Amino acid sequence: MTDNEIIEEAIRLVREGVSVTLPVNGNSMLPFIIGGKESVILQKPEQLIVGDVVLAWADGYRYVVHRIIRIDGDRVTLMGDGNLVGTEHCRVDDVKARVTHVVDAKGRQHDLYHTWRRRAAKVWFWLRPIRRYLLAIYRRVKN
């Protein structure tokens, strides 16, 4: 099975109301989700709000797990927490699942919307001008 086939099967299950745990890759959601080490729990998206982390079909060609930074009517703008400037766009209908928890390497679940995580994500968003330096420090400390 390809990655897209696995994701599409997860989406099918989420549509049926099943909570799905999906491993993630890449660094685009650092420091809140560590690709290659952590997984995310996906659930059916109900009411989307700015700050939600979602699985979406972005820019018409790929699936991403990124944070919603803007909703304008039917148009959604996404940005990975580990990205410095790049954004993706999709329609509300292209949001396939909402990430509710992160599962760490030891199997522990962490609520992605706990008060401190929401506050940290807001601060992190405003730190975009210096993210490059903060991520470099983060990577050195984690390695």
Side-chain angles (χ1 to χ4, degrees):
M1 266 186 146
T2 67
D3 286 349
N4 274 1
E5 290 172 329
I6 292 168
I7 292 170
E8 287 167 8
E9 179 62 15
I11 291 167
R12 185 187 69 74
L13 291 169
V14 165
R15 267 193 226 125
E16 293 178 4
V18 176
S19 180
V20 176
T21 302
L22 187 72
V24 291
N25 291 314
N27 296 317
S28 68
M29 284 302 290
L30 285 175
F32 297 101
I33 302 173
I34 303 168
K37 293 183 180 181
E38 296 181 326
S39 298
V40 293
I41 296 179
L42 305 173
Q43 291 185 349
K44 197 173 195 175
E46 300 295 332
Q47 182 68 27
L48 298 174
I49 61 170
V50 170
D52 282 353
V53 176
V54 297
L55 169 65
W57 180 249
D59 294 327
Y61 75 96
R62 68 182 178 137
Y63 287 107
V64 296
V65 173
H66 284 170
R67 192 176 304 277
I68 295 175
I69 61 168
R70 186 176 307 117
I71 301 174
D72 293 316
D74 187 41
R75 192 157 167 80
V76 178
T77 303
L78 307 164
M79 183 177 200
D81 292 336
N83 293 349
L84 302 175
V85 292
T87 59
E88 295 86 20
H89 300 90
C90 68
R91 295 171 21 139
V92 169
D93 291 345
D94 294 325
V95 175
K96 306 302 182 184
R98 180 175 181 261
V99 176
T100 60
H101 293 79
V102 175
V103 182
D104 67 22
K106 294 182 180 178
R108 296 175 298 205
Q109 292 184 16
H110 304 278
D111 180 0
L112 200 52
Y113 305 103
H114 189 278
T115 304
W116 79 264
R117 282 184 184 259
R118 277 198 179 276
R119 287 183 184 146
K122 283 181 183 179
V123 169
W124 186 249
F125 180 77
W126 294 111
L127 291 174
R128 283 175 311 193
I130 61 170
R131 269 189 197 174
R132 172 184 321 275
Y133 309 107
L134 297 173
L135 286 168
I137 293 167
Y138 174 84
R139 286 185 180 111
R140 284 194 181 105
V141 169
K142 285 295 183 178
N143 288 336

